[in-house]
Amino acid sequence: MTAPVTAKSIGAISCHVCGLLVSSGLTTTHNARCPRCDARLHSRKVNSLSRTWALLIAAGILYVPANVYPVLTLISFGRSTTNTIMGGVIELAHSGQMVIAIIVFVASVFVPIFKIAALLFLVVSVQLRLKVQRRKRAVLYRFTEFIGRWSMIDIFMISILIGLVKLQALATVTAGPGAIAFAAVVIITMFAAMTFDPRLIWDDEGDDYDG
C-alpha cells in the first residue's frame, strides 16, 4: 500500500500549541515560529524519547512506594490506623461501597500502571522502528492521553477518606508517604505522555506501510 503524504514528507510543520500546519516556505529557518500563536516550531519534540524514558523510569520507581506505603493515617479517639491504597479499596468493599471501591482501584492502581506500560511500549516500538500496526499504536497513545484526564487525585483520595473515617466527628487524618509518591506518579505520567511525540510512530514510512 502506498505510504500516505505526511507533513514531514512535504516539509511542513504542525504547531504543537495551536495545531496550525505551517507550509514549508515558512519553516526553512532554524528558529521558525508559528504565524498564528508565535510558538517555536519543531518538526518533532526535542529529545522526546530520552525525556519520556527518564519520566517513565521515575514513575516506575515511585509506583512501588505509592502502593506499599500508607497513603493516610487516621487518628480517632487516640487510636491510630494507617492504610495503603489497596487497604482503602478493601475497606470500601467491606463497608458495602463496591462501586466506589472499583472506581478507586481503577483510577489509583490500574490507570497509572497502564499508562506506564503503554508509554513504555510506544517508546520501545519507536526505537525499534517497528513499521506494523502504526494506526493502532496511535490510537493507544490517544487512549492513554484520554484516561490520564481521569487521574484526579482529589476524587478517589476523598473516597478513600470517607470510607475510612466513616463520618466520625472526632478524627484526625494526615497524608502518608504513599500519598506523596502516588501524586508524583500521576504528575510524572502526565508529563511523560506530553513529552512523547506520537508523530515518531509515523516516521520512516515505506512501501510496506500497513496502517
Side-chain angles (χ1 to χ4, degrees):
M1 183 177 179
T2 304
V5 176
T6 63
K8 186 177 181 180
S9 67
I10 61 175
I13 297 179
S14 176
C15 177
H16 69 283
V17 176
C18 68
L20 178 67
L21 185 63
V22 183
S23 63
S24 57
L26 298 176
T27 61
T28 54
T29 62
H30 180 70
N31 295 321
R33 292 187 174 275
C34 176
R36 180 160 64 185
C37 68
D38 199 41
R40 181 82 172 271
L41 293 175
H42 300 284
S43 177
R44 296 293 182 266
K45 292 180 181 179
V46 180
N47 299 323
S48 172
L49 295 181
S50 59
R51 289 190 295 166
T52 305
W53 264 118
L55 292 170
L56 288 177
I57 292 173
I61 294 174
L62 289 171
Y63 185 79
V64 176
N67 287 273
V68 173
Y69 290 108
V71 294
L72 54 83
T73 300
L74 171 66
I75 302 176
S76 179
F77 298 103
R79 183 181 177 183
S80 177
T81 304
T82 59
N83 279 91
T84 61
I85 292 178
M86 283 304 302
V89 172
I90 294 172
E91 183 70 22
L92 287 170
H94 286 171
S95 63
Q97 303 180 65
M98 187 59 67
V99 175
I100 297 179
I102 294 174
I103 293 174
V104 172
F105 174 80
V106 171
S108 59
V109 179
F110 176 76
V111 169
I113 194 63
F114 174 82
K115 289 184 65 177
I116 293 173
L119 290 171
L120 181 63
F121 167 73
L122 292 173
V123 171
V124 172
S125 67
V126 168
Q127 288 190 321
L128 294 179
R129 298 183 181 276
L130 297 182
K131 297 183 179 181
V132 296
Q133 306 296 335
R134 283 189 165 109
R135 189 177 301 277
K136 291 182 179 179
R137 281 187 281 151
V139 171
L140 175 63
Y141 173 75
R142 298 303 178 193
F143 180 72
T144 303
E145 270 195 324
F146 173 77
I147 63 174
R149 302 172 187 175
W150 296 94
S151 298
M152 304 296 288
I153 302 175
D154 53 343
I155 293 178
F156 45 78
M157 284 303 174
I158 290 176
S159 300
I160 294 177
L161 182 60
I162 292 174
L164 294 175
V165 175
K166 298 179 180 177
L167 302 180
Q168 296 181 75
L170 299 175
T172 301
V173 179
T174 56
I180 299 174
F182 179 74
V185 170
V186 173
I187 295 173
I188 290 174
T189 52
M190 290 175 60
F191 278 109
M194 292 171 59
T195 56
F196 178 76
D197 195 337
R199 294 173 295 184
L200 296 173
I201 298 174
W202 304 96
D203 284 349
D204 297 321
E205 289 282 7
D207 295 335
D208 56 342
Y209 168 80
D210 63 355

